Amino acid sequence: MVGALVFAVVSGAGAVVKALGVDNVWWVAGVTAVVTAVGSVMAPRFKSRWDKWAEERENRRQAVDRAALRGGRLQVRDITNPKVLGVHPARLPEGVDADDKAEFDLPVYVRRDRHDDVAAHLKPGGFVLIAGVSAAGKTRLAFEVVSARLPEHRLLVPEGWADFQALAEEAAATRKCVVWLDDLERFLGDGRLSTTVVDKILAGDGHHRVMVATIRSEELSRLKDEADRLDERRRVLDQAATIQLGETFTATELGRAEKLRQDPRIDDALRNASGHVTEYLVAGPELVQRLDNASATQPRGVALVAAAIDCRRAGWIGPLSTQLVEKLHTDHLNPRYSPETLGQAWEWATTPIPRTATALLTKNGKDVTVADYIVDHTQRTSRPDDHVPDTTIHTALEHADAHSADNIGHTMRAQGRYQLAHTALTHALHLHTTTHGPHHPNTLTTRHNLAGVLQDLGQLDQARAEFEAVLATRTEQFGADHPSTLVARHNLALVLRDLGQLDQARAEFEAVLAVRTEQFGADHPSTLVTRANLASVLRDLGQLDQARAEFEAVLATRTELLGADHPSTLATRHNLAGVLWDLGQLEQARTEFEAVLDIETELQGADHPSTLSRAQRQIRARGLRGTFGVPEHDHSSKIMTNDDGDTPFVTQHHTFPGLGLHVFIQHETELVARLVSRGPDIADGPQGDGGPVARGRFGAKG
């Protein structure tokens, strides 16, 4: 081939070459031969890369086809009935026959006061989260704003099992796109929706991509319940602009509704709802009343509903199986009453409220769905320590798919039930491995989360081995600087710190910090978390001046970006106070500790678990655990933890004779009784970065 080309250049094209002003024909032939030879070598490589890119693109397309509404081939304007996006069907107006139901699918939209606030966050790169009680009208508001502002945009609506890496890549390849996340909590539990995914979707210039999400207020409160629980879910929430939607119509909204009375549903609601227009339209209060009044007359039906609610509270995602609900419901039967037959129970539980499509339970073949309104009501009226029984968790896991098992594991971990979390995540890992193989991103995420639970359980050598395995695979798949790889490396560093291998931990944190600073900037939440963890290791190493400088820098940035009373800011301020204490600057330390405690008391109350935990840490740090003496030297005693890497560890105790100690005792003695009455130490929650992974009982995660 090459020889023929050279011959052609020399013999057949010589005159042409000379006509172009080139005298040395042999030089042209030589260049041609070299170019051809290089091309023959490089062409297969380019083809290989092209084939790999095409294969990845096709795999991504198939993943979106499987797990997005209508395969992701939608524009916003294509949605003619927003019920497919999660809008609740409304009750029929009085006097309308069920046969005419289609004509009245949804009532006319009453413009909400927060309409313009939501619209303001639909700028390029915007992420807006609408929070409110079930049936407040969150999804309807989101739909009306998006359809009015962005009708030509592509609409990606993932299902609960979606591959978010593929979804993010598909969205990033689209210039105008809306990613729709109704009931956001469905996507946070197993770590697939991470800050990395959000950045992938929204970063860059020259596009108009936005994310629009909704969440029930009770779920949002649960995720943010303890100020120290700054795990990956919390950081995703912090990336969103949260719009709180009231559960009742304001006077202004009622005035708008009055002008729309020509819609019989609006007229019906205004006459009967006393401001609770949206709740009335979906018959929420009637559902609660039906359940509350049926304990004696429908005990088995009530038990079926209670079993379904417990599964949701435990972390189950999506519909439940009829078999599971029937198996669990016997634990909820009230022995005081004679139960009806199972058939009668199902008939009662699935019968809609008159003039609505709303029932306590909805059956679709073998699947069962419990009304969100009832789940929300139960969560709002339950005590914080009213957890789902262990036996229910084990039974649910026998029926759970991988994503529900993942989410149950995370729920158990957040409640400090680490052995149950281990069981759930082990089950999820088995399912992911069987379905996708050991190297699939979902499998690796679950293995990563399981490593974090091993760390919680104190099985540090096993946790280290798991993190190292995940890190090796991610490095091979994605490269050393990929965000998912950095997550694994970061959390490995946390285990190294817990193992006391501080020099190695410092080196790992410094390496991750350098890359994150370059990739995301010095002010990005993930960068700040790594920097805070590095500061904690510096403190452990006794390099207190450096630790102080790092904590002060993180505190300044967080105060500016998040505000002085944000949990992350408070955690950093608390840890800075610990370093000041170690440095012997007791008055400054006292001022900082008291300021943090006062803010938490004001925001959450003196009896809130987070406030008590913070106060307890202060008491323990001052030697008030058991005695009121000055702390002893105990370099192995890491007694303070926080999820953010901002952990006020007391690993270096110093003796400061009497100075300031009596002040702490006086300030905190009033809390001692409450703390003692609560029994064991209040444990901090998990922390992760790229998933709900990462912090051991004696370590902080970043």
Side-chain angles (χ1 to χ4, degrees), residues 682-697:
I682 299 173
D684 292 309
Q687 173 15 300
D689 191 2
V693 260
R695 164 193 109 41
R697 182 172 179 76

Side-chain angles (χ1 to χ4, degrees), residues 233-260:
R233 300 173 308 159
R234 180 60 186 261
R235 288 200 289 276
V236 170
L237 293 171
D238 284 343
Q239 288 182 289
T242 302
I243 303 295
Q244 192 70 42
L245 186 63
E247 61 181 294
T248 61
F249 269 25
T250 66
T252 304
E253 290 168 341
L254 287 172
R256 296 190 191 109
E258 285 288 344
K259 298 177 182 179
L260 299 172

Side-chain angles (χ1 to χ4, degrees), residues 320-355:
L320 300 151
S321 72
T322 301
Q323 183 182 10
L324 172 60
V325 174
E326 290 181 351
K327 188 172 184 179
L328 288 173
H329 91 281
T330 55
D331 294 334
H332 296 273
L333 286 173
N334 191 328
R336 294 171 54 191
Y337 307 113
S338 299
E340 70 278 27
T341 67
L342 190 58
Q344 291 170 329
W346 277 115
E347 182 179 1
W348 171 81
T350 58
T351 298
I353 299 294
R355 296 192 291 119

Side-chain angles (χ1 to χ4, degrees), residues 29-46:
V31 171
T32 303
V34 171
V35 171
T36 305
V38 171
S40 65
V41 174
M42 296 300 294
R45 297 184 184 180
F46 284 122

Side-chain angles (χ1 to χ4, degrees), residues 268-331:
D268 182 28
L270 289 174
R271 286 187 288 104
N272 294 286
S274 301
H276 293 264
V277 174
T278 54
E279 289 182 274
Y280 177 81
L281 287 172
V282 300
E286 286 98 323
L287 286 177
V288 175
Q289 186 177 23
R290 173 177 286 188
L291 189 62
D292 288 345
N293 293 341
S295 297
T297 58
Q298 301 286 340
R300 193 181 297 277
V302 170
L304 289 172
V305 177
I309 292 172
D310 265 4
C311 288
R312 285 283 303 277
R313 291 175 59 216
W316 190 284
I317 298 174
L320 300 151
S321 72
T322 301
Q323 183 182 10
L324 172 60
V325 174
E326 290 181 351
K327 188 172 184 179
L328 288 173
H329 91 281
T330 55
D331 294 334

Side-chain angles (χ1 to χ4, degrees), residues 36-340:
T36 305
V38 171
S40 65
V41 174
M42 296 300 294
R45 297 184 184 180
F46 284 122
K47 183 178 185 303
S48 176
R49 292 181 182 180
W50 174 267
D51 289 344
K52 182 178 180 181
W53 177 88
E55 181 182 2
E56 291 174 350
R57 176 71 179 84
E58 180 59 25
N59 290 340
R60 184 179 79 206
R61 181 64 259 169
Q62 290 180 7
V64 174
D65 281 344
R66 289 192 300 268
L69 180 65
R70 299 182 192 171
R73 296 178 174 86
L74 280 172
Q75 287 183 303
V76 173
R77 66 182 181 185
D78 295 329
I79 302 298
T80 57
N81 189 336
K83 287 192 292 186
V84 299
L85 300 180
V87 176
H88 294 298
R91 76 167 71 216
L92 296 170
E94 293 179 347
V96 176
D97 294 332
D99 291 342
D100 299 327
K101 179 179 176 181
E103 184 181 349
F104 297 90
D105 269 339
L106 286 175
V108 65
Y109 172 61
V110 178
R111 186 183 177 91
R112 307 301 297 270
D113 289 348
R114 305 308 303 270
H115 185 106
D116 289 339
D117 296 328
V118 174
H121 293 288
L122 296 185
K123 299 175 181 177
F127 181 8
V128 61
L129 173 63
I130 304 174
V133 299
S134 179
K138 305 180 295 295
T139 310
R140 181 71 185 273
L141 169 61
F143 169 73
E144 296 293 343
V145 176
V146 170
S147 61
R149 292 298 183 101
L150 309 173
E152 306 297 325
H153 278 50
R154 183 181 184 186
L155 182 64
L156 289 176
V157 186
E159 301 289 351
W161 60 84
D163 181 343
F164 268 87
Q165 289 292 342
L167 182 86
E169 291 170 4
E170 186 71 13
T174 308
R175 194 173 68 84
K176 296 166 60 177
C177 182
V178 176
V179 177
W180 183 274
L181 303 172
D182 194 46
D183 292 332
L184 181 65
E185 68 274 10
R186 294 183 297 149
F187 309 107
L188 290 174
D190 58 8
R192 287 171 300 135
L193 180 60
S194 64
T195 54
T196 301
V197 167
V198 174
D199 289 340
K200 179 74 173 177
I201 295 171
L202 301 180
D205 300 319
H207 70 80
H208 194 159
R209 294 190 293 273
V210 298
M211 296 176 65
V212 180
T214 67
I215 192 169
R216 290 185 293 118
S217 294
E218 191 61 31
E219 286 294 331
L220 184 61
S221 297
R222 181 178 65 83
L223 292 170
K224 293 187 172 183
D225 187 31
E226 292 197 6
D228 289 341
R229 288 186 177 171
L230 305 171
D231 61 13
E232 179 70 0
R233 300 173 308 159
R234 180 60 186 261
R235 288 200 289 276
V236 170
L237 293 171
D238 284 343
Q239 288 182 289
T242 302
I243 303 295
Q244 192 70 42
L245 186 63
E247 61 181 294
T248 61
F249 269 25
T250 66
T252 304
E253 290 168 341
L254 287 172
R256 296 190 191 109
E258 285 288 344
K259 298 177 182 179
L260 299 172
R261 276 187 177 270
Q262 68 272 17
D263 186 313
R265 293 187 177 189
I266 299 298
D267 181 66
D268 182 28
L270 289 174
R271 286 187 288 104
N272 294 286
S274 301
H276 293 264
V277 174
T278 54
E279 289 182 274
Y280 177 81
L281 287 172
V282 300
E286 286 98 323
L287 286 177
V288 175
Q289 186 177 23
R290 173 177 286 188
L291 189 62
D292 288 345
N293 293 341
S295 297
T297 58
Q298 301 286 340
R300 193 181 297 277
V302 170
L304 289 172
V305 177
I309 292 172
D310 265 4
C311 288
R312 285 283 303 277
R313 291 175 59 216
W316 190 284
I317 298 174
L320 300 151
S321 72
T322 301
Q323 183 182 10
L324 172 60
V325 174
E326 290 181 351
K327 188 172 184 179
L328 288 173
H329 91 281
T330 55
D331 294 334
H332 296 273
L333 286 173
N334 191 328
R336 294 171 54 191
Y337 307 113
S338 299
E340 70 278 27

